[in-house]
Amino acid sequence: MRRLRRPGAAAGGGRTPQDRLWQAVEHQLLARTSAVITLNSDDEAWFRQRMPPHAVERIRAGVGLGLSRYPRTTPPDGPLRLAWIGEHTARTCPHFAVAAAAELHRAGLGFSLTMIGVGERLERTRREAARRGLEGVVHVAGWGDARQALAGAHALVHTAQWEGLPRVMLEAFAVGQRSYAFDVQGVRDAPGAVLAADGDVPALVRVVRTGWESGGCTVRSRRIRSSSTARRRSGGSSCSCSARSCRQERGWEPRTGGQPQAAGGAGAPGRAADRSTAVSDDALLPGAKRVMA
Protein backbone atom coordinates (compact mmCIF):
# COMPACT_ATOMS: atom_id res chain seq x y z
CA MET A 1 0.00 0.00 0.00
CA ARG A 2 1.35 3.41 -0.97
CA ARG A 3 0.16 6.88 -0.02
CA LEU A 4 -0.02 9.17 -3.03
CA ARG A 5 0.26 12.92 -2.61
CA ARG A 6 -2.52 15.39 -3.45
CA PRO A 7 -3.23 14.43 -7.10
CA GLY A 8 -6.11 16.88 -7.49
CA ALA A 9 -3.69 19.78 -7.21
CA ALA A 10 -1.80 18.50 -10.19
CA ALA A 11 -4.87 17.81 -12.31
CA GLY A 12 -4.75 21.20 -13.99
CA GLY A 13 -0.99 21.29 -14.29
CA GLY A 14 -0.33 22.19 -10.67
CA ARG A 15 0.11 25.54 -9.01
CA THR A 16 3.85 25.25 -8.49
CA PRO A 17 6.84 23.42 -9.99
CA GLN A 18 6.67 21.11 -6.98
CA ASP A 19 3.08 20.19 -7.89
CA ARG A 20 4.14 19.37 -11.45
CA LEU A 21 6.99 17.26 -10.14
CA TRP A 22 4.59 15.26 -7.98
CA GLN A 23 2.25 14.89 -10.96
CA ALA A 24 5.00 13.04 -12.83
CA VAL A 25 5.75 10.90 -9.78
CA GLU A 26 2.08 10.03 -9.35
CA HIS A 27 1.77 8.92 -12.97
CA GLN A 28 4.69 6.53 -12.41
CA LEU A 29 3.16 5.18 -9.18
CA LEU A 30 -0.25 4.67 -10.77
CA ALA A 31 1.27 2.32 -13.33
CA ARG A 32 2.04 -0.02 -10.41
CA THR A 33 -1.12 0.60 -8.38
CA SER A 34 -4.04 -1.84 -8.40
CA ALA A 35 -6.58 0.27 -6.51
CA VAL A 36 -6.95 3.66 -4.87
CA ILE A 37 -8.81 4.87 -1.77
CA THR A 38 -9.37 8.62 -1.74
CA LEU A 39 -11.12 11.13 0.50
CA ASN A 40 -12.42 13.96 -1.67
CA SER A 41 -14.22 14.63 -4.92
CA ASP A 42 -11.32 16.37 -6.68
CA ASP A 43 -8.92 13.49 -6.12
CA GLU A 44 -11.63 11.00 -7.02
CA ALA A 45 -12.22 12.74 -10.37
CA TRP A 46 -8.47 12.80 -11.07
CA PHE A 47 -8.06 9.09 -10.34
CA ARG A 48 -11.15 8.07 -12.32
CA GLN A 49 -9.71 9.69 -15.42
CA ARG A 50 -6.67 7.42 -15.10
CA MET A 51 -7.89 4.14 -13.59
CA PRO A 52 -10.75 1.68 -14.16
CA PRO A 53 -13.94 2.62 -12.26
CA HIS A 54 -13.79 -0.47 -10.03
CA ALA A 55 -10.28 0.47 -8.88
CA VAL A 56 -11.26 3.80 -7.25
CA GLU A 57 -13.11 4.04 -3.94
CA ARG A 58 -13.92 7.29 -2.19
CA ILE A 59 -14.52 7.32 1.58
CA ARG A 60 -16.83 10.28 1.81
CA ALA A 61 -16.51 10.86 5.55
CA GLY A 62 -12.86 10.04 5.98
CA VAL A 63 -11.85 7.48 8.56
CA GLY A 64 -14.70 8.47 10.86
CA LEU A 65 -14.97 10.03 14.30
CA GLY A 66 -15.76 8.59 17.69
CA LEU A 67 -18.85 10.70 18.27
CA SER A 68 -18.77 10.06 22.02
CA ARG A 69 -15.59 12.17 22.10
CA TYR A 70 -17.35 15.07 20.39
CA PRO A 71 -20.66 15.59 22.21
CA ARG A 72 -23.06 18.32 21.21
CA THR A 73 -22.24 21.52 23.03
CA THR A 74 -24.21 24.65 23.94
CA PRO A 75 -22.96 27.79 22.18
CA PRO A 76 -21.19 30.15 24.60
CA ASP A 77 -22.78 33.38 25.76
CA GLY A 78 -21.40 36.77 24.86
CA PRO A 79 -19.61 38.07 21.77
CA LEU A 80 -18.66 35.95 18.78
CA ARG A 81 -15.94 33.41 19.52
CA LEU A 82 -14.06 31.88 16.60
CA ALA A 83 -11.58 29.02 16.58
CA TRP A 84 -8.81 28.24 14.08
CA ILE A 85 -7.18 24.83 14.54
CA GLY A 86 -4.27 23.46 12.54
CA GLU A 87 -0.54 23.54 11.87
CA HIS A 88 0.98 26.94 11.17
CA THR A 89 2.36 26.24 7.69
CA ALA A 90 2.31 27.75 4.22
CA ARG A 91 -0.49 25.37 3.20
CA THR A 92 -2.83 26.19 6.08
CA CYS A 93 -2.44 29.97 5.60
CA PRO A 94 -2.91 31.17 9.19
CA HIS A 95 -2.18 34.72 7.98
CA PHE A 96 -5.57 34.67 6.23
CA ALA A 97 -7.26 34.05 9.59
CA VAL A 98 -5.38 36.99 11.09
CA ALA A 99 -6.31 39.17 8.10
CA ALA A 100 -9.97 38.20 8.51
CA ALA A 101 -9.75 39.07 12.21
CA ALA A 102 -8.32 42.48 11.30
CA GLU A 103 -11.28 43.18 9.00
CA LEU A 104 -13.78 42.09 11.63
CA HIS A 105 -12.02 44.34 14.16
CA ARG A 106 -12.10 47.33 11.80
CA ALA A 107 -15.81 46.72 11.25
CA GLY A 108 -16.36 47.13 14.99
CA LEU A 109 -17.64 43.60 15.57
CA GLY A 110 -17.05 42.30 19.07
CA PHE A 111 -15.30 38.94 18.77
CA SER A 112 -12.31 36.84 19.70
CA LEU A 113 -10.25 34.37 17.68
CA THR A 114 -8.32 31.54 19.32
CA MET A 115 -5.71 29.82 17.15
CA ILE A 116 -4.67 26.32 18.27
CA GLY A 117 -1.70 24.53 16.77
CA VAL A 118 2.05 24.66 16.27
CA GLY A 119 4.26 24.71 13.20
CA GLU A 120 7.02 26.49 11.37
CA ARG A 121 4.97 29.69 11.01
CA LEU A 122 3.68 29.93 14.58
CA GLU A 123 5.89 32.86 15.57
CA ARG A 124 5.22 34.57 12.25
CA THR A 125 1.50 34.34 13.00
CA ARG A 126 2.04 35.88 16.42
CA ARG A 127 4.08 38.72 14.93
CA GLU A 128 1.41 39.35 12.29
CA ALA A 129 -1.32 39.57 14.93
CA ALA A 130 0.82 42.00 16.96
CA ARG A 131 1.65 44.07 13.89
CA ARG A 132 -2.05 44.53 13.20
CA GLY A 133 -2.74 45.49 16.82
CA LEU A 134 -4.89 42.44 17.49
CA GLU A 135 -3.35 41.24 20.75
CA GLY A 136 -6.63 41.83 22.58
CA VAL A 137 -8.81 39.80 20.20
CA VAL A 138 -6.52 37.19 18.58
CA HIS A 139 -5.00 34.60 20.91
CA VAL A 140 -2.32 32.55 19.12
CA ALA A 141 -2.14 29.84 21.73
CA GLY A 142 0.16 27.33 20.08
CA TRP A 143 -0.31 23.85 21.47
CA GLY A 144 -3.78 23.31 22.94
CA ASP A 145 -6.83 21.09 23.25
CA ALA A 146 -8.77 21.19 19.98
CA ARG A 147 -11.94 19.73 21.51
CA GLN A 148 -11.92 22.32 24.25
CA ALA A 149 -11.37 25.09 21.70
CA LEU A 150 -14.34 23.89 19.63
CA ALA A 151 -16.56 23.60 22.70
CA GLY A 152 -15.79 27.20 23.63
CA ALA A 153 -16.38 28.65 20.18
CA HIS A 154 -19.37 29.59 18.07
CA ALA A 155 -17.75 28.59 14.77
CA LEU A 156 -14.58 27.31 13.15
CA VAL A 157 -12.53 29.29 10.63
CA HIS A 158 -10.44 27.17 8.25
CA THR A 159 -8.04 28.78 5.78
CA ALA A 160 -6.07 25.93 4.17
CA GLN A 161 -5.16 26.01 0.47
CA TRP A 162 -6.22 22.36 0.12
CA GLU A 163 -7.00 19.30 2.20
CA GLY A 164 -7.54 15.58 1.86
CA LEU A 165 -10.63 15.82 4.03
CA PRO A 166 -10.21 18.18 6.99
CA ARG A 167 -10.78 16.21 10.18
CA VAL A 168 -11.16 19.36 12.26
CA MET A 169 -14.16 20.36 10.13
CA LEU A 170 -15.73 16.96 10.78
CA GLU A 171 -15.09 17.52 14.49
CA ALA A 172 -16.75 20.94 14.32
CA PHE A 173 -19.72 19.45 12.50
CA ALA A 174 -19.99 16.70 15.12
CA VAL A 175 -20.40 19.24 17.93
CA GLY A 176 -22.89 21.21 15.85
CA GLN A 177 -20.75 24.08 14.56
CA ARG A 178 -20.53 25.69 11.20
CA SER A 179 -17.15 25.99 9.54
CA TYR A 180 -16.23 29.03 7.47
CA ALA A 181 -13.60 28.25 4.87
CA PHE A 182 -12.40 28.70 1.30
CA ASP A 183 -13.82 26.73 -1.61
CA VAL A 184 -10.82 24.50 -2.24
CA GLN A 185 -9.99 20.83 -2.72
CA GLY A 186 -11.12 18.61 0.14
CA VAL A 187 -12.65 21.48 2.09
CA ARG A 188 -15.62 21.78 -0.27
CA ASP A 189 -16.57 18.19 0.61
CA ALA A 190 -16.75 18.81 4.36
CA PRO A 191 -20.25 18.82 5.90
CA GLY A 192 -21.48 21.99 7.56
CA ALA A 193 -19.15 24.24 5.56
CA VAL A 194 -20.00 27.76 4.43
CA LEU A 195 -17.53 28.66 1.70
CA ALA A 196 -15.98 31.78 0.23
CA ALA A 197 -13.95 32.00 -2.96
CA ASP A 198 -10.39 30.70 -2.62
CA GLY A 199 -8.17 33.26 -0.87
CA ASP A 200 -10.91 35.93 -0.79
CA VAL A 201 -10.58 37.24 2.78
CA PRO A 202 -13.31 39.92 2.45
CA ALA A 203 -15.73 37.25 1.24
CA LEU A 204 -14.76 35.03 4.17
CA VAL A 205 -15.43 37.93 6.54
CA ARG A 206 -18.83 38.52 4.91
CA VAL A 207 -20.00 34.95 5.44
CA VAL A 208 -18.80 34.97 9.04
CA ARG A 209 -20.62 38.26 9.74
CA THR A 210 -23.75 37.02 7.99
CA GLY A 211 -23.75 33.83 10.03
CA TRP A 212 -23.30 35.72 13.28
CA GLU A 213 -25.78 38.51 12.59
CA SER A 214 -28.44 36.07 11.37
CA GLY A 215 -28.11 34.02 14.55
CA GLY A 216 -26.74 30.99 12.73
CA CYS A 217 -23.66 30.79 14.95
CA THR A 218 -25.66 30.70 18.17
CA VAL A 219 -27.79 27.66 17.28
CA ARG A 220 -26.13 24.29 16.95
CA SER A 221 -27.00 22.66 13.63
CA ARG A 222 -28.91 19.40 13.57
CA ARG A 223 -26.77 16.31 13.04
CA ILE A 224 -29.39 13.58 13.02
CA ARG A 225 -31.40 13.18 9.88
CA SER A 226 -31.94 9.89 8.16
CA SER A 227 -31.31 9.52 4.44
CA SER A 228 -34.91 8.37 3.92
CA THR A 229 -36.24 11.55 5.54
CA ALA A 230 -33.99 13.65 3.36
CA ARG A 231 -35.20 11.84 0.25
CA ARG A 232 -38.84 12.41 1.23
CA ARG A 233 -38.19 16.12 1.78
CA SER A 234 -36.42 16.39 -1.56
CA GLY A 235 -39.21 14.69 -3.49
CA GLY A 236 -37.47 11.33 -3.67
CA SER A 237 -34.34 12.54 -5.39
CA SER A 238 -31.00 13.97 -4.43
CA CYS A 239 -30.81 17.47 -5.83
CA SER A 240 -27.55 19.40 -5.81
CA CYS A 241 -29.15 22.59 -7.14
CA SER A 242 -27.97 25.65 -5.25
CA ALA A 243 -30.79 27.94 -6.36
CA ARG A 244 -32.59 29.34 -3.33
CA SER A 245 -36.04 29.00 -4.94
CA CYS A 246 -35.44 25.30 -5.56
CA ARG A 247 -34.24 24.74 -2.03
CA GLN A 248 -37.27 26.53 -0.58
CA GLU A 249 -39.69 24.66 -2.83
CA ARG A 250 -38.28 21.34 -1.64
CA GLY A 251 -38.63 22.32 2.00
CA TRP A 252 -34.94 22.69 2.71
CA GLU A 253 -33.88 25.48 5.01
CA PRO A 254 -31.29 27.58 3.17
CA ARG A 255 -28.50 28.99 5.29
CA THR A 256 -27.57 32.53 4.44
CA GLY A 257 -23.89 32.93 3.77
CA GLY A 258 -23.12 35.81 1.43
CA GLN A 259 -24.35 35.69 -2.14
CA PRO A 260 -25.94 32.50 -3.48
CA GLN A 261 -23.73 30.12 -5.36
CA ALA A 262 -23.71 30.74 -9.07
CA ALA A 263 -25.45 28.14 -11.21
CA GLY A 264 -23.04 25.73 -12.77
CA GLY A 265 -20.53 25.38 -9.96
CA ALA A 266 -19.11 26.56 -6.70
CA GLY A 267 -16.49 29.15 -6.12
CA ALA A 268 -17.53 31.65 -8.77
CA PRO A 269 -15.06 34.56 -8.66
CA GLY A 270 -16.02 37.21 -6.15
CA ARG A 271 -18.91 35.23 -4.71
CA ALA A 272 -19.34 33.39 -1.48
CA ALA A 273 -21.06 30.02 -1.82
CA ASP A 274 -23.25 28.48 0.88
CA ARG A 275 -22.56 24.75 0.79
CA SER A 276 -24.00 23.86 4.19
CA THR A 277 -25.14 20.28 4.66
CA ALA A 278 -26.84 18.13 7.25
CA VAL A 279 -26.18 14.43 7.58
CA SER A 280 -27.02 11.62 9.94
CA ASP A 281 -24.60 10.44 12.62
CA ASP A 282 -23.74 7.54 10.33
CA ALA A 283 -22.36 9.99 7.77
CA LEU A 284 -19.40 10.55 10.06
CA LEU A 285 -18.53 6.88 9.63
CA PRO A 286 -16.88 5.28 6.58
CA GLY A 287 -19.15 4.41 3.68
CA ALA A 288 -22.14 6.52 4.75
CA LYS A 289 -24.08 8.66 2.30
CA ARG A 290 -24.17 12.42 2.61
CA VAL A 291 -27.43 14.28 1.93
CA MET A 292 -28.04 17.91 1.13
CA ALA A 293 -29.98 20.07 3.57
Side-chain angles (χ1 to χ4, degrees), residues 24-291:
V25 172
E26 286 151 5
H27 276 291
Q28 293 296 319
L29 290 175
L30 282 179
R32 295 178 290 154
T33 299
S34 301
V36 167
I37 299 174
T38 186
L39 297 177
N40 65 67
S41 58
D42 295 271
D43 285 350
E44 179 186 25
W46 191 88
F47 282 121
R48 289 194 182 280
Q49 292 175 0
R50 294 160 175 81
M51 300 187 72
H54 70 273
V56 179
E57 177 67 22
R58 176 180 162 200
I59 304 177
R60 295 178 179 270
V63 297
L65 295 176
L67 294 181
S68 61
R69 300 181 63 221
Y70 298 92
R72 313 290 282 175
T73 59
T74 301
D77 295 328
L80 173 63
R81 298 183 188 179
L82 299 171
W84 183 97
I85 301 171
E87 289 186 286
H88 289 255
T89 65
R91 181 184 66 81
T92 60
C93 301
H95 62 282
F96 281 149
V98 176
E103 292 207 19
L104 289 171
H105 189 55
R106 279 196 298 270
L109 182 68
F111 79 101
S112 63
L113 169 65
T114 298
M115 303 183 72
I116 300 294
V118 296
E120 61 193 28
R121 297 199 173 193
L122 174 60
E123 293 305 319
R124 182 185 299 188
T125 304
R126 286 174 170 156
R127 291 194 298 270
E128 179 66 10
R131 183 185 71 82
R132 291 176 177 268
L134 299 173
E135 296 96 328
V137 292
V138 176
H139 179 212
V140 186
W143 186 264
D145 188 325
R147 284 183 292 173
Q148 183 178 345
L150 287 174
H154 292 100
L156 176 73
V157 175
H158 196 75
T159 54
Q161 290 180 335
W162 59 268
E163 292 280 6
L165 186 66
R167 181 180 176 85
V168 69
M169 293 179 72
L170 297 180
E171 293 169 353
F173 183 68
V175 303
Q177 282 186 10
R178 291 185 184 182
S179 296
Y180 296 96
F182 295 128
D183 186 10
V184 296
Q185 172 184 329
V187 173
R188 65 175 58 98
D189 297 306
V194 182
L195 305 179
D198 184 9
D200 190 338
V201 172
L204 184 64
V205 170
R206 285 196 299 272
V207 294
V208 170
R209 289 194 64 180
T210 298
W212 175 248
E213 293 169 357
S214 67
C217 292
T218 57
V219 178
R220 291 303 194 223
S221 61
R222 291 169 294 173
R223 184 173 67 198
I224 301 174
R225 178 183 299 174
S226 69
S227 298
S228 59
T229 300
R231 283 193 295 271
R232 287 196 299 271
R233 292 185 65 183
S234 64
S237 63
S238 177
C239 176
S240 59
C241 175
S242 63
R244 181 167 299 176
S245 59
C246 175
R247 291 164 66 86
Q248 290 174 337
E249 180 181 350
R250 293 178 182 272
W252 299 339
E253 287 187 26
R255 293 178 180 172
T256 57
Q259 299 179 11
Q261 177 185 335
R271 293 190 175 185
D274 185 344
R275 296 280 294 274
S276 303
T277 61
V279 299
S280 69
D281 279 1
D282 290 341
L284 295 178
L285 302 175
K289 295 181 67 176
R290 182 180 137 199
V291 295

